[in-house]
Amino acid sequence: MRLLGAMRLVRFRGAGGAEPRLGLEEAAGGNVVDLSAAEPALPRSMRAFLESGQSGLAAAQRALESGQHRLPRETVRLLAPVGDPEKVICVGLNYRDHCLEQNVKIPTEPIIFNKFPSTIIGPFDDIVHPEESSEVDWEVELAAVIGKKGRHIEESSALDHVVGFTVANDVSARDWQMKNGRQWLLAKTFDTFCPLGPALVTKEAVADVHNLSIRCSVNGQLMQDSSTSQLIFRLPKLIAWISRFVTLVPGDILLTGTPPGVGAFQKPPVFLKRGDEVQCEIEELGTICNKVV
């Protein structure tokens, strides 16, 4: 039995490459409900849809239960579930096992940086390897999506501000992050450096977001394999901390950190090259797979 509110929201293009539309996956990897056809009054932007709050989510639930406006999966191209967030906020050193891998102290407060929205690409789009870097790395991450505006949010109510979760790859140019002036922002924000998807899975559909397996493979070889139970700062703490500084608004994306197994800390280090394929997977959320070109 499907829980009320449990949905897998997507953005997609249909046959002929028309304008992006909103939809829902019937199941992970399944056919797509054309939400824009079922509820034409809804906005086509996920950010605007989330701003509509409970009325928008209720309309999506009706469309899911209607049994109509189904599109075969092979006829659609999935896009990033949120393509135009106001903010992409990231957390560094947020897995205990990743800190141990680097032999660094576990942080006592969250380390926050950001990526620009122009980094975002779809779940199966290509990552462009920039000419300016020779040390491009992978980082599978749990991403939370904000559904309700807030500032100075209390930890006890923080998850009320989250609509759901998706899979992200925080692609990073290590030569710019760790050398070249330690330019964290520049290292993280090359175009195409934030594959996202495949769906925005509402929190009602996730049993325990702090106990999900999280993995990354490169060319079929498992590189990262951990659990979100290893998070140092869990979502309520992160949301409360970040909202001390900035107002969180619907559509904002929060990348929560990566587990061990990134290329920079392999012995010897391993970096992505053109032709590589990176697959990131989180239990209950789905899989994204991006080729490096």
Side-chain angles (χ1 to χ4, degrees):
M1 182 177 172
R2 190 191 301 272
L3 286 173
L4 187 66
M7 293 178 284
R8 302 180 61 88
L9 295 157
V10 297
R11 288 172 62 246
F12 70 95
R13 291 187 197 275
E19 286 299 303
R21 301 170 75 83
L22 292 186
L24 302 120
E25 283 187 309
E26 285 192 295
N31 292 338
V32 171
V33 182
D34 187 342
L35 185 53
S36 295
E39 298 280 346
L42 287 175
R44 300 292 178 91
S45 154
M46 185 68 76
R47 177 174 159 188
F49 169 79
L50 295 176
E51 287 169 349
S52 71
Q54 287 301 316
S55 63
L57 292 169
Q61 187 84 38
R62 287 196 301 272
L64 184 60
E65 293 169 355
S66 73
Q68 299 178 322
H69 304 288
R70 266 48 178 177
L71 299 172
R73 180 59 174 254
E74 61 272 14
T75 66
V76 306
R77 176 184 163 223
L78 291 189
L79 308 173
V82 184
D84 60 344
E86 182 181 284
K87 296 183 284 295
V88 182
I89 302 168
C90 310
V91 186
L93 295 176
N94 198 29
Y95 276 74
R96 287 179 177 82
D97 44 10
H98 186 43
C99 291
L100 294 172
E101 171 186 49
Q102 301 176 59
N103 196 27
V104 297
K105 289 182 179 179
I106 290 176
T108 56
E109 60 189 32
I111 299 168
I112 305 299
F113 61 97
N114 72 298
K115 297 167 92 81
F116 293 139
S118 52
T119 58
I120 293 173
I121 58 172
F124 308 109
D125 292 343
D126 292 338
I127 298 166
V128 177
H129 192 303
E131 296 288 344
E132 293 80 6
S133 176
S134 59
E135 297 184 356
V136 177
D137 205 347
W138 57 86
E139 292 190 9
V140 61
E141 306 211 5
L142 167 72
V145 180
I146 299 298
K148 178 183 171 186
K149 184 177 181 179
R151 178 87 196 277
H152 295 296
I153 298 166
E154 297 289 337
E155 280 189 51
S156 59
S157 61
L159 289 181
D160 294 343
H161 292 262
V162 173
V163 65
F165 313 101
T166 193
V167 182
N169 184 353
D170 177 17
V171 184
S172 306
R174 301 297 187 198
D175 35 8
W176 286 95
Q177 182 185 5
M178 297 176 172
K179 306 167 190 174
N180 299 2
R182 300 179 70 85
Q183 296 270 11
W184 272 61
L185 175 63
L186 296 182
K188 298 282 190 172
T189 211
F190 282 100
D191 291 351
T192 75
F193 269 26
C194 189
L196 205 64
L200 168 49
V201 182
T202 58
K203 61 190 175 187
E204 292 82 3
V206 179
D208 181 0
V209 72
H210 296 112
N211 190 28
L212 301 175
S213 64
I214 179 170
R215 301 187 186 92
C216 177
S217 300
V218 179
N219 300 327
Q221 181 179 353
L222 186 63
M223 306 303 289
Q224 295 182 275
D225 186 7
S226 187
S227 167
T228 58
S229 64
Q230 288 284 318
L231 284 167
I232 298 165
F233 303 107
R234 295 188 167 198
L235 279 164
K237 176 72 173 182
L238 292 174
I239 290 165
W241 174 262
I242 293 164
S243 70
R244 291 169 58 184
F245 303 90
V246 297
T247 300
L248 295 174
V249 300
D252 282 353
I253 298 169
L254 172 58
L255 274 59
T256 57
T258 198
V262 298
F265 300 114
Q266 303 290 323
K267 296 178 181 178
V270 179
F271 297 109
L272 294 171
K273 59 188 183 300
R274 292 174 183 86
D276 285 346
E277 192 170 81
V278 187
Q279 180 169 296
C280 297
E281 175 186 4
I282 301 178
E283 183 182 5
E284 298 184 25
L285 303 186
T287 302
I288 63 176
C289 190
N290 306 91
K291 186 176 181 180
V292 182
V293 299

